[in-house]
């Protein structure tokens, strides 16, 4: 995947994907009877880590300089 594509896709995920994921996660938890504080905390921590597993390749190297940029 080209560097510029990765940057745009990672920005799209951060601006639109993460807020949508948070809304879905909160609504899913709300469907069930309210668990204890510690169970709810563990669920939110798990969901907070779970989103990055499939998206990690998109974010790798995004903060580095563009490798395709030729400065001659």
């Amino acid at each position: 995947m080209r560097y510029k594509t990765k940057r745009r896709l990672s920005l799209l995920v951060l601006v639109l994907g993460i807020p949508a994921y948070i809304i879905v996660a909160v609504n899913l938890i709300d469907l069930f009877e309210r668990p204890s504080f510690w169970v709810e905390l563990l669920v939110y921590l798990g969901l907070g880590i779970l989103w990055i597993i499939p998206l990690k390749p998109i974010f790798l190297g995004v903060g580095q300089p563009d490798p395709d940029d030729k400065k001659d």
Side-chain angles (χ1 to χ4, degrees):
M1 187 180 304
R2 291 187 42 199
Y3 179 76
K4 287 184 180 186
T5 306
K6 283 178 78 168
R7 284 190 62 179
R8 289 181 181 139
L9 189 56
S10 64
L11 183 63
L12 182 70
V13 167
L14 288 175
V15 171
L16 298 176
I18 298 302
Y21 182 78
I22 291 169
I23 291 169
V24 169
V26 169
N27 286 328
L28 280 176
I29 295 297
D30 199 33
L31 290 175
F32 302 104
E33 182 181 327
R34 179 134 186 169
S36 70
F37 171 76
W38 296 109
V39 172
E40 192 172 357
L41 179 66
L42 286 174
V43 168
Y44 282 127
L45 284 173
L47 289 173
I49 295 170
L50 185 67
W51 71 270
I52 195 64
I53 293 170
L55 298 176
K56 187 176 179 180
I58 294 171
F59 291 104
L60 283 178
V62 171
Q64 304 299 322
D66 188 353
D68 299 330
D69 190 20
K70 305 279 188 209
K71 291 189 178 184
D72 291 334

